[in-house]
Amino acid sequence: MKLFTNWGGSYNVVVGVGDITDDGRADLVSRDTGGTLWRNSGDGKGSFGARAKISTGWQGYRFLS
C-alpha cells in the first residue's frame, strides 16, 4: 500500500514511532532536510493525516529512533 509519494526530496528520516498522540493509532515522525520534525497522525485505517510541526533544529542529528 502506498502512503505517500516523493518523500525523498524533502525528508531525510521517517520513523514509525507508535502512538505519540495517545489516540490508540500509530503515528509517524519525519525530519525534513532543514531539520524540522513533523508528525503525521495515523487514521486507524492504514493511512496518515496531514503533517503537524513538532520541533525545529534537528539537522545536527544523524538518526531518530
Side-chain angles (χ1 to χ4, degrees), residues 8 10 20-21 29 31 33 35 40 43-44 52:
S10 59
I20 62 172
T21 57
V29 170
R31 181 183 64 200
T33 55
N40 290 82
D43 69 0

Side-chain angles (χ1 to χ4, degrees), residues 15-44:
V15 179
V17 293
D19 180 16
I20 62 172
T21 57
D22 201 28
D23 63 0
R25 301 171 181 157
D27 305 312
L28 294 177
V29 170
S30 56
R31 181 183 64 200
D32 66 23
T33 55
T36 301
L37 290 183
W38 301 94
R39 183 197 75 242
N40 290 82
S41 296
D43 69 0

Side-chain angles (χ1 to χ4, degrees), residues 1-5 43-48:
M1 172 192 314
K2 183 187 287 190
L3 297 175
F4 298 101
T5 59
D43 69 0
K45 300 175 187 173
S47 193
F48 298 87

Side-chain angles (χ1 to χ4, degrees), residues 40-64:
N40 290 82
S41 296
D43 69 0
K45 300 175 187 173
S47 193
F48 298 87
R51 69 184 189 171
K53 186 187 293 187
I54 298 173
S55 183
T56 59
W58 287 77
Q59 63 272 24
Y61 295 90
R62 293 184 61 191
F63 300 103
L64 298 176

